[in-house]
C-alpha cells in the first residue's frame, strides 16, 4: 500500500492551506486506497486574514489548530513526521504554504518545523 504524508499549513487560501485542494486531494487518495496521514506545524501563523474582507486582522492563530479544521482532528504535529514512513509527500496550495512553512522573505524552508 502506498503511504502519503499530506502537510497543510492552516485553513483558508489567504493565510493557510487552500481548502478545496486539500479536501479533493484527500478524497482522491482515499478513493485510490492510499494510506494518508496529515501533518501541520505546531506554530503561530505568520499572519491572519479575515476571509470576508480579505484584510489582515490583529489576532494570533496556531497553524496546527487551524489545520485540524480541515483534517477534522485527525492530524499530527509536523515534527512527528518520519520521512522513512512515507512513499510521497503532498503540500496543497494556499498562501499559508509559503508563509507558514518557509521564511518567505529569505526563500528558505523552516527546517525546525519538520521531523526526520
Amino acid at each position: 500500500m502506498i503511504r502519503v504524508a499530506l502537510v497543510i499549513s492552516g485553513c483558508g487560501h489567504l493565510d493557510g492551506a487552500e481548502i478545496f485542494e486539500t479536501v479533493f486531494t484527500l478524497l482522491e487518495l482515499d478513493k485510490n486506497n492510499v494510506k494518508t496521514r496529515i501533518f501541520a506545524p505546531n506554530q503561530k501563523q505568520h499572519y491572519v486574514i479575515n476571509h470576508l474582507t480579505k484584510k489582515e486582522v490583529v489576532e494570533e492563530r496556531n497553524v496546527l489548530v487551524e489545520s485540524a479544521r480541515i483534517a477534522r482532528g485527525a492530524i499530527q504535529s509536523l515534527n512527528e513526521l518520519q520521512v522513512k514512513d512515507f512513499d510521497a509527500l503532498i503540500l496543497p496550495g494556499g498562501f499559508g504554504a509559503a508563509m507558514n512553512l518557509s521564511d518567505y522573505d529569505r526563500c528558505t524552508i523552516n527546517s525546525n518545523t519538520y521531523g526526520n
Side-chain angles (χ1 to χ4, degrees), residues 1-3 32-36 87:
M1 176 175 278
I2 297 173
R3 302 160 303 163
N32 287 282
N33 297 314
V34 174
K35 184 176 180 180
T36 307
D87 302 303

Side-chain angles (χ1 to χ4, degrees), residues 19-32:
I19 297 168
F20 284 174
E21 283 185 33
T22 304
V23 171
F24 290 150
T25 297
L26 287 166
L27 179 62
E28 285 302 313
L29 292 169
D30 184 61
K31 284 172 43 178
N32 287 282

